[in-house]
Amino acid sequence: AQSVAQPEDQVNVAEGNPLTVKCTYSVSGNPYLFWYVQYPNRGLQFLLKYITGDNLVKGSYGFEAEFNKSQTSFHLKKPSALVSDSALYFCAVRERRKGDMRFGAGTRLTVKP
Amino acid sequence: DVKVTQSSRYLVKRTGEKVFLECVQDMDHENMFWYRQDPGLGLRLIYFSYDVKMKEKGDIPEGYSVSREKKERFSLILESASTNQTSMYLCASSLGNRGGYEQYFGPGTRLTVT
């Protein structure tokens, strides 16, 4: 069965500081991994994904994520946080050859000026 | 751009009513999904569909059914709404299963059952 854990409900950072939002997963075989962001009263927006190849994936709005197979992790990072990055972030995993994915519970990121 | 639309942003229904939530996508995607989103629980998969007239149960299908008569449209049906079905409902679509395709989401329907 596929599952995702986001160990932090809330992450607070100061503007200009680096940010990390953590994600670990459990899946049979090699995964597809995704990050989504949700702004208030909006649907989810796709940020980035890991399919294969380079473990460091770059995505929208300056975000990147690092796939670590041995630690079954896919942490989201950004070198310098903006106040506008404040939102709810979801990690998701999908087994290859399957169309459905599973989401984590979400991490609320707050960036303070 | 992919567009996924949902029939209502806000909906208020009474206990026992039959509720229909509609979702339409305009990118000829094979797969469509219904989730509910609750604080602290993230997104939970209710049902999904790989093709017209096909459906698969997700993790929480009880109390729900779905219909996919046309490729672009996927409906979620609450046969007899209950207060514990008060939630945000999100529809999504994606290309087929043989690639790392991401899902595209609609804006959501906030359903309140009183």
Side-chain angles (χ1 to χ4, degrees):
Chain A
Q2 321 171 74
S3 66
V4 172
Q6 293 180 242
E8 301 155 319
D9 294 335
Q10 174 93 28
V11 170
N12 298 314
V13 298
E15 189 173 30
N17 283 0
L19 69 87
T20 299
V21 183
K22 295 180 180 177
C23 171
T24 59
Y25 67 90
S26 174
V27 70
S28 300
N30 294 317
Y32 296 133
L33 293 158
F34 304 84
W35 275 102
Y36 287 83
V37 60
Q38 186 179 38
Y39 298 102
N41 299 314
R42 304 281 296 274
L44 273 68
Q45 295 178 31
F46 169 72
L47 272 181
L48 52 78
K49 63 184 177 183
Y50 171 80
I51 304 301
T52 188
D54 194 348
N55 289 343
L56 186 64
V57 177
K58 294 188 185 297
S60 307
Y61 312 121
F63 283 94
E64 56 190 28
E66 187 165 11
F67 171 61
N68 187 317
K69 188 172 183 179
S70 63
Q71 296 185 6
T72 61
S73 67
F74 189 56
H75 301 331
L76 182 70
K77 300 181 181 184
K78 189 173 182 181
S80 179
L82 300 172
V83 172
S84 57
D85 292 330
S86 299
L88 191 55
Y89 289 81
F90 290 97
C91 181
V93 65
R94 212 192 95 193
E95 288 184 22
R96 294 173 187 254
R97 295 191 176 185
K98 282 193 162 187
D100 54 308
M101 63 173 71
R102 295 297 182 276
F103 287 79
T107 298
R108 185 163 299 281
L109 172 67
T110 301
V111 182
K112 298 185 178 177
Chain B
D1 277 353
V2 175
K3 193 165 185 182
V4 180
T5 57
Q6 295 183 230
S7 50
S8 304
R9 291 300 305 272
Y10 300 93
L11 209 53
V12 180
K13 295 292 182 180
R14 293 192 181 276
T15 301
E17 280 193 83
K18 191 168 186 176
V19 181
F20 293 87
L21 302 182
E22 302 282 336
C23 176
V24 178
Q25 50 93 3
D26 66 356
M27 283 301 293
D28 203 36
H29 284 172
E30 289 85 358
N31 299 343
M32 296 189 74
F33 309 85
W34 274 107
Y35 297 89
R36 63 178 283 175
Q37 181 180 3
D38 300 289
L41 297 177
L43 275 71
R44 292 180 290 167
L45 183 63
I46 304 171
Y47 269 98
F48 58 102
S49 169
Y50 290 141
D51 202 350
V52 175
K53 296 192 185 296
M54 296 184 69
K55 61 184 178 183
E56 299 276 350
K57 292 180 180 179
D59 297 325
I60 52 165
E62 296 79 17
Y64 304 95
S65 62
V66 290
S67 172
R68 194 166 180 201
E69 296 296 318
K70 294 185 177 181
K71 190 174 185 179
E72 68 271 18
R73 190 179 297 269
F74 192 37
S75 302
L76 179 70
I77 303 153
L78 287 64
E79 297 289 343
S80 177
S82 64
T83 55
N84 62 13
Q85 292 179 309
T86 291
S87 187
M88 170 70 87
Y89 290 88
L90 294 170
C91 175
S93 71
S94 74
L95 286 167
N97 300 344
R98 294 188 179 275
Y101 302 117
E102 61 270 26
Q103 294 181 9
Y104 294 86
F105 283 82
T109 295
R110 186 167 294 281
L111 173 67
T112 302
V113 182
T114 61

